[in-house]
Structures are given as C-alpha cells and as structure tokens.
Amino acid sequence: MTGKTVTRADLAESVFRKVGLSRTESAELVETVIDEICNAIVRGEMVKLSSFATFQVRAKNERIGRNPKTGEEVPISPRKVMTFKASNVLKQRILRSHLARKAKQKPANPAH
C-alpha cells in the first residue's frame, strides 16, 4: 500500500480533468455529491452506489463489554453506527490489483 490519502481536492481535480468543468464547479459538484450522501445517511436512508458500495445506518443494542486493562465489565450503551459494505465489483477490482502487484514482485527463477 502506498499510504496516499485521496482528498476532496483530489476528487475535484479529477472531475476538472475528466469532465471539463471549471475547478470551482468541479469542487462544488464534489461537495454536492458528498453532502447528498451524508444527508441521506443522517436521515437513516441506505445509500447504494452501484459497483462501489452500500452505506447504511445500523442500530446496535446495549451490551456488556470489558475494559481490556482491568477486565472490568462495562455496559456499552445502544447506539447507531454507519456501515460500509463494498460491492462485489469493488472487491474483485481490489483482488485483481493485489494479485497483479504480487505477480510483479515475484522474483525470477534462476536458470539451472
């Protein structure tokens, strides 16, 4: 892994280069899409981006957890969490990329 983080500015720059909108319009478009996704999630709606992923809010019940240092039982209050589930298309792309990188790193067998 390279450790690079893709930012909103990177997304806007990509829209600028590929779509041809101005940099300002590209940044506004990225913000609008992100805002719409966030607003839908906050409303409790499922967001499904075909060939990418599904974002969903899930309710978690109260449960008993343990403090890892002391071993003491602690109640964990009920809460809502957002889940991200990658699509099979995305999972396959990641796997293919991983396998391709792995194949390039394989050392050549010495001649006998």
Side-chain angles (χ1 to χ4, degrees):
M1 295 229 141
T2 61
K4 179 174 175 7
T5 300
V6 176
T7 64
R8 290 172 189 231
D10 295 330
L11 294 174
E13 183 65 22
S14 182
V15 170
F16 166 72
R17 280 187 273 110
K18 292 180 182 175
V19 178
L21 297 175
S22 72
R23 279 194 162 87
T24 303
E25 291 170 326
S26 297
E28 289 172 0
L29 178 63
V30 168
E31 285 302 318
T32 300
V33 170
I34 290 172
D35 284 345
E36 187 54 37
I37 290 170
C38 290
N39 291 338
I41 291 168
V42 167
R43 290 190 302 265
E45 297 172 13
M46 181 189 310
V47 175
K48 186 173 187 171
L49 302 175
S50 182
S51 301
F52 179 64
T54 301
F55 301 87
Q56 187 173 12
V57 175
R58 190 168 76 86
K60 295 187 92 172
N61 294 326
E62 182 172 8
R63 63 188 175 92
I64 301 297
R66 287 194 189 277
N67 180 327
K69 264 189 179 172
T70 64
E72 175 188 358
E73 289 188 350
V74 182
I76 299 173
S77 58
R79 63 200 185 282
K80 292 188 177 195
V81 295
M82 200 232 19
T83 61
F84 169 91
K85 184 174 184 212
S87 72
N88 287 332
V89 172
L90 178 57
K91 289 177 187 178
Q92 288 302 313
R93 284 182 68 177
I94 293 167
L95 180 59
R96 279 194 306 272
S97 172
H98 172 72
L99 293 174
R101 255 194 310 271
K102 199 172 177 183
K104 285 181 185 177
Q105 293 174 353
K106 223 178 213 182
N109 288 339
H112 287 77

